[in-house]
Amino acid sequence: MKRKVPQQKSHNYKWRRKLLAAILLGFCFVTFMLLMQSQYSRIMMQMPVPKIAFMFIARNRIPLDLVWDAFFQGGENKFSIYVHSRPGFLFNKATTRSAYFFNRQVNDSIQVDWGESSMIVAERILLKHALEDPFNDRFLFLSDSCIPLYNFSYIYDYIMSTPSSFVDSFADTKEGRYNPKMAPVIPVLNWRKGSQWVVLTRKHAEVVVGDNTVFPMFQQHCKRKSLPEFWRDQPLPTDTSKEHNCIPDEHYVQTLLAQEGLEGEVTRRSLTYSSWDLSSSKDHERRGWHPVTYKFSDATPMLIQSIKDTDNIYYETEYRREWCSSKGKPSPCFLFARKFTRPAALRLLNMSLLGAFNEATRKSSLW
């Protein structure tokens, strides 16, 4: 005689099977998700991130290479380095103390003369090489006397947080700078002036390299007037525009972007600080066509802090004041500063390592 399984026991058995199946299914789902997350993490770690191309225009070596070596540490995979130095100069263990600069010279450099169109040729050479790396997303020009004012992470976030270029650009109203022979190709309405130390987006870098219209006009008609060799022994002329007609690197990128109708895509200020207030300088060597050079005695935490405290820039020719911001919030105007001698830069580096900067500065500074 067959025994019948009670209905309650049969129900409990089915319920246990469903619970076990649900547990197994849940386990399999969690395992699958963990595997997918791990795979995604590996892929994301292997994917290159957008980089900043640091492009140095140097006479020979990079005299502040130790400062930049400290700066680049920790920023790996987020930057590229290109150096335009004199033809034939090589960056190796004999010429630089930083491995970041080894073999970073461009192999088609030219001899550059201050105030000549060769300077913008050098800029275009650097951009051409930097554009060959598809992951370079911002293109930053620096001189061999520049120092960073903040650490790499802060500068990277500042530059990458906006889709615009940073180009110091304003209407140039001084007589003698614009050559009427440029018209009608470059109308005076598009004539601009500013610092050559710009930060370009990839789109704007491609515009500069691909330019076949404005560049030839600059080579032909934007030229510096020669000064007598003994000019340093003479009082500075009251109207300097009559002494040097056109410095190409102070006008080229700014005028080109205005000519192409791209000023709406540009933050019209530089991220590199230069001091042009020469009127109060008693140092005869500092009086000339170049910004102030900071020597060992000038290199103090107070100097650096005063530069960092700058939060706006006023452009007299356009009655325009640029209040500096980053990510929609007020921010310092400058990320870099020039012109620093090697002893001055090393003094700043040594002082900061010894904790000479105040706490607020240390949190965001390079050192």
Side-chain angles (χ1 to χ4, degrees):
M1 181 176 180
K2 294 183 180 180
R3 300 177 61 183
K4 293 183 180 181
V5 180
Q7 187 175 1
Q8 183 65 32
K9 289 186 178 181
S10 175
H11 177 75
N12 289 341
Y13 178 71
K14 291 180 180 179
W15 180 84
R16 289 174 182 173
R17 283 199 307 173
K18 289 180 179 179
L19 178 61
L20 180 61
I23 292 173
L24 290 174
L25 183 62
F27 177 78
C28 292
F29 178 77
V30 170
T31 303
F32 174 76
M33 291 302 296
L34 289 174
L35 289 173
M36 291 297 293
Q37 185 177 10
S38 176
Q39 183 70 11
Y40 176 78
S41 299
R42 283 197 296 268
I43 293 174
M44 292 302 295
M45 290 180 63
Q46 294 172 359
M47 284 182 62
V49 297
K51 295 188 293 184
I52 298 176
F54 288 79
M55 302 178 296
F56 292 84
I57 298 179
R59 296 171 181 83
N60 293 302
R61 63 184 68 211
I62 303 294
L64 310 185
D65 53 1
L66 287 181
V67 173
W68 288 102
D69 186 86
F71 170 76
F72 285 124
Q73 291 178 24
E76 281 76 7
N77 303 321
K78 290 186 176 181
F79 68 88
S80 303
I81 297 175
Y82 304 85
V83 184
H84 185 286
S85 190
R86 64 173 173 80
F89 188 87
L90 301 177
F91 284 88
N92 51 36
K93 290 183 178 180
T95 57
T96 179
R97 295 153 294 178
S98 171
Y100 290 114
F101 290 98
F102 286 173
N103 300 315
R104 298 316 305 158
Q105 71 281 345
V106 294
N107 56 15
D108 52 351
S109 63
I110 63 169
Q111 183 62 44
V112 173
D113 296 313
W114 174 81
E116 303 294 340
S117 61
S118 55
M119 182 66 79
I120 58 178
V121 174
E123 293 175 354
R124 285 161 57 95
I125 290 173
L126 283 167
L127 284 173
K128 180 191 70 174
H129 284 277
L131 282 168
E132 292 175 356
D133 185 339
F135 299 106
N136 284 334
D137 197 62
R138 296 292 189 276
F139 302 79
L140 165 65
F141 283 111
L142 294 162
S143 78
D144 55 11
S145 66
C146 278
I147 64 167
L149 298 174
Y150 298 90
N151 62 35
F152 182 88
S153 176
Y154 181 87
I155 288 179
Y156 182 89
D157 290 342
Y158 191 117
I159 292 175
M160 300 300 290
S161 66
T162 174
S164 67
S165 295
F166 289 90
V167 180
D168 184 42
S169 177
F170 53 92
D172 180 26
T173 58
K174 290 185 178 180
E175 294 182 3
R177 293 298 186 95
Y178 174 77
N179 191 335
K181 293 181 179 180
M182 292 183 174
V185 177
I186 305 175
V188 68
L189 183 67
N190 290 335
W191 186 246
R192 299 287 186 272
K193 187 178 185 297
S195 167
Q196 76 178 106
W197 312 114
V198 303
V199 181
L200 300 177
T201 62
R202 189 171 187 90
K203 173 184 175 180
H204 295 161
E206 290 171 345
V207 168
V208 174
V209 172
D211 168 39
N212 294 315
T213 304
V214 174
F215 177 62
M217 296 298 292
F218 266 73
Q219 285 186 305
Q220 185 176 359
H221 298 302
C222 181
K223 297 181 180 180
R224 171 176 61 94
K225 287 184 178 179
S226 300
L227 294 173
E229 293 184 1
F230 54 85
W231 72 272
R232 286 186 181 273
D233 299 324
Q234 306 296 326
L236 288 176
T238 55
D239 185 0
T240 57
S241 65
K242 293 181 179 179
E243 297 299 326
H244 59 292
N245 181 29
C246 179
I247 308 299
D249 54 81
E250 293 181 354
H251 297 274
Y252 174 61
V253 172
Q254 292 81 355
T255 299
L256 173 62
L257 295 180
Q259 184 85 351
E260 296 294 324
L262 296 172
E263 285 189 307
E265 302 175 5
V266 171
T267 299
R268 294 172 62 191
R269 61 181 175 87
S270 176
L271 297 182
T272 299
Y273 174 83
S274 301
S275 175
W276 291 93
D277 184 13
L278 308 180
S279 58
S280 61
S281 176
K282 296 180 180 180
D283 187 343
H284 184 69
E285 294 181 2
R286 293 183 175 187
R287 300 185 65 198
W289 307 119
H290 303 284
V292 169
T293 295
Y294 294 110
K295 301 177 181 179
F296 181 88
S297 59
D298 303 313
T300 64
M302 290 73 74
L303 169 66
I304 298 301
Q305 194 59 50
S306 68
I307 298 173
K308 289 184 173 186
D309 287 342
T310 305
D311 61 0
N312 72 91
I313 305 170
Y314 183 68
Y315 294 90
E316 294 182 4
T317 61
E318 297 180 342
Y319 305 102
R320 170 171 60 94
R321 186 177 299 277
E322 285 282 341
W323 290 96
C324 304
S325 63
S326 176
K327 299 181 180 179
K329 298 179 180 180
S331 69
C333 291
F334 301 111
L335 302 181
F336 309 93
R338 59 187 295 266
K339 305 172 55 177
F340 284 80
T341 62
R342 181 170 175 267
L346 292 181
R347 185 187 187 196
L348 289 172
L349 183 63
N350 290 334
M351 282 194 302
S352 58
L353 286 174
L354 294 173
F357 290 104
N358 60 44
E359 185 65 23
T361 305
R362 278 204 303 273
K363 288 181 179 178
S364 59
S365 68
L366 161 60
W367 305 296

